[in-house]
Amino acid sequence: MKKVIVIGSGFSGLSAAANLAHKGYDVTVLEKNATAGGRARQYEAKGFVFDMGPSWYWMPDVFDNFFEQWGKKRADYYDLVRLDPSYTVTFADGDVMRVPATMPELEAMFEKYEVGSSEKLRQFLAEAEYKYKVGMGEFVQKPSHSITEFADMRVLKSLFRLQMLTDMRKHVHSLFKNQKLRELLEFPVLFLGATPQNTPALYSLMNYADMVGGTWYPRGGMFKIVEGMMKVCQELGVKFLFNQSVKNIYVPNGHATKVITETDEFDAEIIVGSADYHHLEQEVLNPEHRNYDEKYWDKRVMAPSCLLFYLGVNKRIKNIEHHNLFFDESFDVHAHDIYTDPKYPQKPLFYASAPSKTDPSVAPEGCENLFILIPLAPNLDDTNDDVREHYYNLVMERLEKWTGEAIRPHVIYKRSYAHRDFKKDYNAFKGNAYGLANTLMQTAFLKPKLRSKKISNFYFTGQLTVPGPGVPPSLISGQIVANEIAKTFK
Ligand SMILES: Cc1cc2nc3c(=O)[nH]c(=O)nc-3n(C[C@H](O)[C@H](O)[C@H](O)COP(=O)(O)OP(=O)(O)OC[C@H]3O[C@@H](n4cnc5c(N)ncnc54)[C@H](O)[C@@H]3O)c2cc1C
């Protein structure tokens, strides 16, 4: 059995580890933190259970496939609940759009905002379904070593239908006139880390995932996915070692033989780096073994970072649901402050999640578990706690206004988290939260490559390489890298 070391235990690392173990490799995962999950870790404080990162469970088929590959069932690892409404969107005029889970109700809601729009929605979602099936079924599964993978006639023909060269904004605006519906339909591409103007209309597949696939919740929190995947890994024979921060790779003659951590050395025949690509390249590998240089990395469009608040509230909050988007300020102005002229925004949009609305196990009785997320440009100066406090008050004031009740006096637990924490905990390049943005120029074979060009047995996986950011893509990234390894190292 060839010895594989996987660096990092986020979704991509767990997925790569399970896939490789299933193919018969002897897999050990080295993780710098004390627990698995990476950006999706969980912690408990004062009886509140906080998921630290992802909170939206979309594309349930991708998760189900992960378990079914080894003849297992997702339901044996965790329970899923479909949320209805899927989420709410609050606009500046106080209107709250409750996005229903069923299609007839969704169509009725569209008609309310724009007469005739339900027919257009059907057309939009039919196209999105095609993109989802081709995009998720074929495109995202490609290792994207080169453009030639996309060059057969069938794929070329589908490129037109996939709308790779139209942007999301044009696509949405060509069908819908109502500004609120436009913002609703542009929201899912924010998960990909870029603006709708910069994201290929291929990614309306995310709208299919949202409106048809649905928004789900694993009972006990998103960390249940991590626990389930870890259990599968262990059942397949994967070993986990925590508090092992990888510092260097020993590479005599272009072939890696050892992984060196702060305290130990591990022999390896194949290495999969699932930590942030930039960190592995620029801080772990020696200069002569890097695919790219700092100039290359500086030109990459990173997905945003964010300022998070994990809050324990000693009462139930009325007028919010499990997922709540606050689009009560200008989307374009905030996007400008993230991408065009990176700076702290004056009037940010924000997202609030209250998983205790669905799941009493994540908060003490009678209390609310509240998670607030403000998207921010990567690489902002995050040394001043007063800045965090300013944003806390700014968004809480708005949340109190829209919910119609005081919340701050009832906060009995509070923790903030932003750039400096992403760097410290995950070695995140520029403190990014969601990796590399999925812009047209950073799609597929234009992304940092998953195979090292300098080390014959070193591979990269995770949200900075193919297919991109988000939990389902990270999971797929681990599968792709395992398949590539199996092709080369039989
Ligand atoms: C706040 C937030 C909200 C999000 N919301 C959603 C959402 O709702 N839905 C969704 O689908 N996606 C969401 N995402 C994105 C999603 O969480 C990520 O795309 C995904 O978790 C990335 O997985 P990964 O394996 O690529 O990276 P990571 O999770 O970062 O895993 C990398 C691992 O490598 C470890 N590591 C780093 N350096 C070293 C080293 N030197 N030695 C050993 N180990 C090391 C890290 O500790 C980490 O465990 C969110 C992300 C954040 C941060």
Side-chain angles (χ1 to χ4, degrees):
M1 286 163 88
K2 281 203 183 293
K3 259 185 192 313
V4 182
I5 297 281
V6 175
I7 305 169
S9 66
F11 285 111
S12 62
L14 291 172
S15 166
N19 275 276
L20 286 164
H22 188 247
K23 291 179 195 300
Y25 295 87
D26 171 10
V27 185
T28 302
V29 178
L30 302 179
E31 166 57 54
K32 84 180 263 294
N33 290 322
T35 56
R39 282 163 166 86
R41 287 179 303 154
Q42 190 177 66
Y43 77 99
E44 197 173 335
K46 291 200 171 168
F48 296 91
V49 179
F50 295 103
D51 280 321
M52 294 187 72
S55 53
W56 297 75
Y57 191 107
W58 279 4
M59 306 186 179
D61 48 314
V62 174
F63 297 89
D64 286 357
N65 287 344
F66 172 83
F67 291 96
E68 284 161 13
Q69 285 174 88
W70 357 96
K72 298 176 190 281
K73 280 203 215 99
R74 189 265 312 142
D76 293 337
Y77 294 84
Y78 56 89
D79 244 10
L80 273 186
V81 194
R82 181 156 182 184
L83 303 183
D84 191 5
S86 302
Y87 51 96
T88 68
V89 191
T90 299
F91 294 99
D93 60 3
D95 177 30
V96 181
M97 187 187 261
R98 294 163 63 85
V99 181
T102 69
M103 207 40 73
E105 283 177 289
L106 187 67
E107 287 181 4
M109 187 193 87
F110 265 68
E111 280 298 318
K112 206 183 89 194
Y113 283 95
E114 182 179 325
V115 175
S117 63
S118 60
E119 179 53 40
K120 291 188 178 146
L121 177 68
R122 273 195 289 276
Q123 177 195 333
F124 178 80
L125 288 177
E127 287 165 14
E129 180 178 7
Y130 171 79
K131 293 174 190 170
Y132 188 85
K133 290 194 172 139
V134 178
M136 296 303 288
E138 290 185 40
F139 269 41
V140 303
Q141 311 289 341
K142 292 193 186 288
S144 299
H145 299 308
S146 95
I147 192 169
T148 55
E149 289 166 40
F150 298 84
D152 74 66
M153 268 325 277
R154 198 177 49 87
V155 173
L156 284 176
K157 268 192 210 147
S158 66
L159 278 179
F160 184 67
R161 249 183 111 183
L162 290 172
Q163 296 190 297
M164 282 303 283
L165 301 175
T166 311
D167 70 62
M168 259 313 274
R169 171 145 298 176
K170 276 202 196 108
H171 181 44
V172 169
H173 283 218
S174 70
L175 288 170
F176 302 93
K177 301 263 168 311
N178 180 278
Q179 184 54 20
K180 290 176 183 169
L181 293 182
R182 286 175 167 182
E183 289 189 19
L184 170 71
L185 292 168
E186 285 181 354
F187 142 70
V189 301
L190 300 184
F191 280 112
L192 306 169
T195 58
Q197 299 95 306
N198 239 333
T199 305
L202 160 71
Y203 290 107
S204 68
L205 67 84
M206 297 287 287
N207 298 95
Y208 179 78
D210 166 5
M211 292 174 162
V212 182
T215 302
W216 300 77
Y217 173 77
R219 254 183 234 288
M222 294 292 279
F223 192 68
K224 287 287 162 206
I225 317 167
V226 175
E227 284 179 348
M229 288 179 69
M230 238 187 111
K231 197 156 173 243
V232 165
C233 282
Q234 284 160 338
E235 286 162 4
L236 292 166
V238 176
K239 297 172 276 298
F240 286 88
L241 296 172
F242 294 101
N243 302 308
Q244 288 285 358
S245 180
V246 173
K247 292 291 162 208
N248 193 229
I249 309 291
Y250 182 56
V251 189
N253 308 318
H255 192 82
T257 56
K258 270 188 206 313
V259 177
I260 300 153
T261 68
E262 268 168 356
T263 50
D264 297 284
E265 287 189 8
F266 298 87
D267 291 335
E269 290 169 278
I270 299 157
I271 301 169
V272 179
S274 84
D276 272 32
Y277 200 129
H278 170 272
H279 160 67
L280 290 168
E281 267 230 321
Q282 305 294 316
E283 291 161 4
V284 172
L285 293 176
N286 293 339
E288 67 273 23
H289 299 135
R290 295 172 186 166
N291 278 352
Y292 309 102
D293 58 16
E294 276 295 353
K295 262 201 229 141
Y296 167 89
W297 282 108
D298 236 23
K299 287 195 191 130
R300 294 311 92 193
V301 182
M302 297 310 293
S305 183
C306 51
L307 170 56
L308 305 170
F309 294 100
Y310 308 103
L311 305 174
V313 182
N314 71 0
K315 65 167 184 175
R316 304 308 302 266
I317 304 169
K318 289 182 233 105
N319 300 327
I320 55 166
E321 298 285 347
H322 188 126
H323 295 295
N324 312 269
L325 300 168
F326 291 87
F327 286 5
D328 51 338
E329 295 289 356
S330 161
F331 177 91
D332 286 345
V333 172
H334 188 182
H336 179 88
D337 295 341
I338 295 176
Y339 297 100
T340 318
D341 178 17
K343 59 176 181 303
Y344 275 98
Q346 283 196 344
K347 295 175 173 176
L349 310 187
F350 69 100
Y351 156 64
S353 170
S356 42
K357 289 281 172 200
T358 311
D359 184 354
S361 77
V362 298
E365 208 182 326
C367 295
E368 210 80 87
N369 176 321
L370 197 58
F371 167 93
I372 308 273
L373 186 155
I374 308 169
L376 292 176
N379 221 18
L380 295 182
D381 176 12
D382 173 37
T383 48
N384 186 348
D385 282 345
D386 292 347
V387 174
R388 293 187 179 191
E389 199 54 21
H390 163 75
Y391 281 99
Y392 174 70
N393 284 312
L394 190 140
V395 297
M396 291 304 280
E397 215 163 89
R398 277 159 57 192
L399 187 62
E400 288 174 350
K401 173 178 150 194
W402 295 126
T403 56
E405 61 180 301
I407 300 172
R408 278 170 290 182
H410 298 274
V411 171
I412 53 170
Y413 173 80
K414 174 178 164 196
R415 176 182 174 189
S416 65
Y417 195 100
H419 304 69
R420 64 171 190 254
D421 304 291
F422 282 111
K423 288 182 193 163
K424 182 171 128 300
D425 287 350
Y426 311 118
N427 293 311
F429 180 44
K430 298 185 174 177
N432 81 78
Y434 321 108
L436 192 85
N438 251 353
T439 61
L440 177 60
M441 295 313 289
Q442 295 186 161
T443 291
F445 54 89
L446 299 172
K447 273 192 197 297
K449 301 285 182 215
L450 55 73
R451 206 161 51 187
S452 166
K453 298 174 198 164
K454 307 284 172 60
I455 309 174
S456 59
N457 54 346
F458 194 101
Y459 293 79
F460 297 90
T461 182
Q463 61 172 359
L464 275 79
T465 181
V466 286
V471 176
S474 299
L475 233 139
I476 292 168
S477 186
Q479 286 166 12
I480 297 174
V481 91
N483 291 339
E484 287 308 294
I485 289 171
K487 277 189 219 156
T488 311
F489 300 91
K490 294 227 164 52

